[in-house]
Structures are given as structure tokens and as C-alpha cells.
Amino acid sequence: MSKIIAHITDTHLGDPSALDRGANPKKNLKAVLENIALDKFDDLVITGDLAVKEDLEWLFTKLEDYKPGFKITLGNHDVFKDVIPYYHGTRSQSETELYYTHEDEFYKYIYMDSSSGEISEAQMAWLTSEINTLKKIIVFIHHPILGFPTGVDTAYPLKNRDMINEILQESRQPVTVFCGHYHMPDKRIDRKITQYITPSVAFQVKKNSPTIEVNVNSFAYRIITLEENSIKTSLVTNFYDRFTKKSG
């Protein structure tokens, strides 16, 4: 078994907070999608902060061209009722939030909705049930579950992340989390959870700073390579200079 996933996050299309800082999210996303089209990925996952309402149609039109398909989660800049008319890739387990799962031979994939800045009680109950599996678990979510001090987290925290952490620690198998939100690369481990934060497509934020210090000169996405007994990952950056891979 071998599967390769492209992970994109924080596209921020049309977002004034990105445009006012001099970022060009559409140009960046076009470069990312053109780049991943050159490789044989099995899936594409975008973990939230997608676009302002007026740019959602543009985004999903671009994504519909990507084969074999794509999956999304919602971030704190996203509104369920605005996004869901454009997203037909899977059926949510809720009529007001976007969360769902699918499985293959060795892995169970859990897609969570943190758009409200916390995980609802209904979604927590669903998550508690879904981790009852003998397969290794991969979680895609916008907010980090293993948080640390940053300017972004100070302004937009996931309020009940500790409760989600403890639910995932009850899994019988290791849990790997792929997320965004902080606009920076990071890897950290807490007991059964290994978490990777993928940088933003729109702009980056300085790590270990109490304020949001922005860098609009870089963007990236993550390659996730799954084998039966291993998960490998790397970041792809510097598209305009001809694509350089960096571990992260």
C-alpha cells in the first residue's frame, strides 16, 4: 500500500487581512495547483481558511479541475453555509458543521470542523466514537490540537483543544494530525499524537513571536507519503524559482 497526499492550508483568497499585507493568495494557489498537477498524488486536502464568500466559486472551479479529487475542512475564516453549496466531495455528519471520515486498508482519515474556534459537543461525541478503530488515525483539522504560544493563537485559539487531545489519546493506535492556522511549519509530539503544521499558501507568520509578524515572500504545501507502517512528510516551497523540497 502506498498513498501520496498533497496538503494545502490557509489559502485566504480575497481576505483583506492577506491583501492589505501585500500577499497574492490567488497567484500563490495557482502556482501550488500547477505544481501538484505535475506529480501523481492520490488526494488533495485543504485545511481551512479558504476564501471570502465572493471568491469561493473561483476556488472550487479551480479545484474541480484537480483529479482524482479533493477534500476540505473549515477554518475560523470560513462559514459553513457559504462553503457547503460548492463542496460536493463528501457528506457531512452534521447539517451545520463539516466533519466526516473515510478509510482505506490501513488508515482511518478524520476530517474535523474547527470554524467556530472550538469543537462542538456533538462533534466531540462523534470523534469519541470514530477513534474506536484498529487502524492508524490521520486527522485533518484547521487549528492545531497541540498548541504553543504564537500571535495567531493569542488572537484565534482553539478553545477546547485539551479536550480533543485527551479524546485522541484514548485511541488504540497512533494519531497523526495535519493542520494549519499558525502560518508556519512545526512538528511536535504528545504521547500518541504526532502533529505537523503546514505553512500557509497566502503568507507566513514569524514563529515564537507574541505578535503576528507577517512574511508575504514565501508559501508552501506539504507532501504526505503513506505506507502500511510509515508516514513520511516534506514541505515544498519556492515555486517561482523552480520547486525546492525541504523537510519540516
Side-chain angles (χ1 to χ4, degrees):
M1 176 259 182
S2 180
K3 177 180 287 188
I4 304 177
I5 301 170
H7 176 216
I8 297 173
T9 192
D10 295 271
T11 48
H12 284 275
L13 301 185
D15 182 353
S17 67
L19 299 177
D20 291 348
R21 291 178 167 109
N24 195 332
K26 280 189 177 180
K27 182 180 179 181
N28 295 355
L29 181 60
K30 286 179 182 178
V32 170
L33 294 176
E34 289 171 4
N35 192 22
I36 66 174
L38 300 175
D39 297 312
K40 294 182 179 180
F41 289 99
D42 298 293
D43 210 350
L44 166 63
V45 181
I46 308 180
T47 51
D49 282 4
L50 304 171
V52 297
K53 184 177 181 179
E54 293 76 14
D55 280 331
L56 285 169
E57 183 176 1
W58 185 95
L59 171 63
F60 281 91
T61 299
K62 287 290 183 185
L63 293 175
E64 290 295 343
D65 292 335
Y66 181 76
K67 306 300 180 185
F70 64 94
K71 297 177 179 65
I72 65 169
T73 70
L74 301 184
N76 52 288
H77 283 263
D78 302 315
V79 178
F80 176 86
K81 67 180 180 62
D82 293 339
V83 174
I84 207 66
Y86 297 100
Y87 183 54
H88 311 295
T90 191
R91 183 175 179 178
S92 178
Q93 297 298 306
S94 167
E95 295 184 354
T96 57
E97 297 178 293
L98 181 62
Y99 54 87
Y100 54 98
T101 67
H102 73 90
E103 303 181 30
D104 58 28
E105 186 177 2
F106 301 107
Y107 291 91
K108 183 167 189 175
Y109 306 86
I110 298 178
Y111 302 81
M112 298 184 66
D113 186 334
S114 60
S115 58
S116 67
E118 60 184 343
I119 304 301
S120 66
E121 291 186 8
Q123 191 175 176
M124 281 196 288
W126 169 84
L127 178 64
T128 301
S129 175
E130 291 297 331
I131 65 167
N132 184 23
T133 177
L134 293 177
K135 296 180 180 180
K136 303 176 195 69
I137 293 175
I138 294 179
V139 174
F140 289 102
I141 186 172
H142 179 69
H143 290 74
I145 293 171
L146 307 180
F148 57 95
T150 72
V152 177
D153 192 68
T154 299
Y156 309 105
L158 181 61
K159 297 175 184 176
N160 54 354
R161 67 162 57 96
D162 290 344
M163 298 174 68
I164 307 308
N165 186 334
E166 291 308 314
I167 290 173
L168 293 176
Q169 297 294 350
E170 295 300 315
S171 168
R172 288 178 282 183
Q173 295 288 346
V175 177
T176 306
V177 175
F178 292 99
C179 56
H181 187 54
Y182 285 178
H183 291 241
M184 62 186 69
D186 185 73
K187 175 186 177 182
R188 60 191 57 225
I189 298 172
D190 178 13
R191 292 168 288 169
K192 290 184 180 178
I193 299 174
T194 300
Q195 175 181 278
Y196 295 92
I197 299 177
T198 297
S200 167
V201 168
F203 60 88
Q204 308 316 313
V205 173
K206 183 177 180 181
K207 201 169 187 178
N208 302 319
S209 172
T211 61
I212 300 176
E213 299 182 49
V214 169
N215 171 14
V216 299
N217 297 316
S218 69
F219 59 99
Y221 71 93
R222 185 177 295 279
I223 298 174
I224 304 165
T225 304
L226 305 177
E227 304 286 350
E228 178 181 351
N229 294 307
S230 70
I231 299 175
K232 297 179 181 178
T233 176
S234 62
L235 296 179
V236 184
T237 61
N238 300 335
F239 302 94
Y240 300 134
D241 299 326
R242 190 55 190 170
F243 325 127
T244 301
K245 294 184 179 181
K246 296 181 179 180
S247 297

